[in-house]
Amino acid sequence: MSGDSMPVCPRKVASASAAASTLSEPPRRTQESGTRTRALGLPMEKSAASTEPQGPRPVLGRDSVQVPDDQDFRSFRSECEAEEGWNLTYSKAGVSVWVQAVEMDRTLHKIKCRMECRDVPAETLYDVLHDIEYRKKWDSNVIETFDIARLTVNADVGYYSWRCPKPLKNRDVITLRSWLPMGTDYIIMNYSVKHPKYPPRKDLVRAVSIQTGYLIQSTGPKSCVITYLAQVDPKGSLPKWVVNKSSQFLAPKAMKKMYKACVKYPEWKQKHQPHFKPWLHPEQSPLPSLALSELSVQHADSLENIDESAVTESREERTGGAGGEGSDDDTSLT
C-alpha cells in the first residue's frame, strides 16, 4: 500500500499520533460499482446521504471490516477542514500542526498537519503517497513495507513497520487502505485490520490505526495543500515528551521531508516504470484478490500494552545529535 504512515502508509498513510510514535491511512461499505466510479475519479453521487450531518462518523466502535463509502470520505474531508476543537501547536514556513485530545480516552490524541506545496501538483503528491517503491527510497524510517492483497479497485491491505524516535520501541501496522480521486483533489485513508498470515511480531509493537489519512487539495496547476489526519493507538503509555515532540517537531519535519521527495519524484519515476501506476490504473495491479471475510478489525485492547511512560530522551536526542533535529532520520510519514 504505497505510501498511511506520518504514522507515518502510508503504509502509505501509516503513524503520527503514534508519532506520538512518528507519522501513518481507514475504510467501510461500498459496492464494486461505486468503488470503480471513485477509482476513475468521477464525482461522488449526491444521494440522500448527502443531507446527513457532515461531522466525523464514529470509528472507535467499528465491529466489521468494510470498505469506506462516500459518506465516510465526506466525513473524513469534513474533519480535515474543521477548526473547532483543535489546538494549534505549530505554524511555520507553510506547515501547521493541530492536536485534539479525545475525551473518552485521553491517551488517544488526534494530530492534524497541513502543508502548502507551492511547486508540487496535487497529482504528483498523490502518486508519491501511493508509490511503495519510491517510499523505500525517501522514507528513512521505514523498516519494511509491502502490499498484501487487493480488496476492490480502490482498496487494499498492506503492511508497514517503522522506526520510532529513540529510545521507544519500533512499531508496525496492518491496515486496510482506500483512496478516492475527486477531480483535482484526492483522499487516502486507512484503519487497522487483522490478517491471519501476519500476526504481531515479538520484535515490534503492533500499533493500531483507528483512522489515518490524507486530504490533498489542488490550489493551482502546480500547487496544492495536503492535510494529514491521524488517530493512532501506539499501544503504550507514551511519555509527555513524545507527544510534544511529535506535534511540534516530528510532524512538521516529516511533512517537509515528504515535500522534498515530491519535488524529486517526476525525475525518479521517469527511470522506474513511468507508466506503472496501479492506483490510477487498477488493471495494472499484480496483487492477489482477498475477500473481506478473511479480515477482522484490529482492536487495540486485544494487543499487548507496552508501558513506555518512564522512558526519557537521551542526551543526543535532546541536543539534536544522531536522529535529532540535525538529521532527517528520526521521522516517518506513512
Side-chain angles (χ1 to χ4, degrees), residues 148-188:
I148 297 172
R150 173 182 173 182
L151 300 172
T152 67
V153 293
N154 74 325
D156 59 14
V157 177
Y159 175 85
Y160 183 88
S161 58
W162 70 95
R163 298 178 183 88
C164 292
K166 296 177 182 179
L168 300 180
K169 297 178 181 295
N170 295 333
R171 259 72 174 176
D172 71 350
V173 289
I174 300 287
T175 59
L176 187 162
R177 186 177 55 109
S178 187
W179 54 95
L180 173 61
M182 303 169 292
T184 57
D185 296 348
Y186 307 87
I187 290 178
I188 304 175

Side-chain angles (χ1 to χ4, degrees), residues 79-212:
E79 190 163 12
C80 284
E81 296 175 339
E83 296 182 5
E84 186 176 353
W86 290 91
N87 299 318
L88 183 67
T89 62
Y90 177 98
S91 183
K92 185 178 179 180
V95 179
S96 299
V97 181
W98 295 264
V99 172
Q100 179 188 61
V102 179
E103 293 182 5
M104 63 184 295
D105 187 338
R106 285 178 291 178
T107 66
L108 298 182
H109 292 275
K110 287 186 182 181
I111 188 169
K112 180 160 60 176
C113 311
R114 184 171 297 142
M115 177 174 64
E116 299 174 10
C117 302
R118 297 181 180 176
D119 51 0
V120 173
E123 57 267 29
T124 297
L125 185 43
Y126 183 63
D127 288 348
V128 167
L129 290 174
H130 273 286
D131 199 322
I132 195 169
E133 294 305 317
Y134 189 55
R135 171 166 288 271
K136 295 173 184 177
K137 299 292 183 181
W138 68 267
D139 184 354
S140 58
N141 261 21
V142 65
I143 298 174
E144 186 178 15
T145 182
F146 52 86
D147 299 332
I148 297 172
R150 173 182 173 182
L151 300 172
T152 67
V153 293
N154 74 325
D156 59 14
V157 177
Y159 175 85
Y160 183 88
S161 58
W162 70 95
R163 298 178 183 88
C164 292
K166 296 177 182 179
L168 300 180
K169 297 178 181 295
N170 295 333
R171 259 72 174 176
D172 71 350
V173 289
I174 300 287
T175 59
L176 187 162
R177 186 177 55 109
S178 187
W179 54 95
L180 173 61
M182 303 169 292
T184 57
D185 296 348
Y186 307 87
I187 290 178
I188 304 175
M189 308 191 299
N190 77 60
Y191 68 89
S192 284
V193 294
K194 290 182 184 180
H195 189 294
K197 294 184 179 180
Y198 299 94
R201 293 165 44 172
K202 293 183 179 180
D203 59 326
L204 296 167
V205 176
R206 176 63 51 89
V208 177
S209 169
I210 297 169
Q211 180 163 17
T212 307

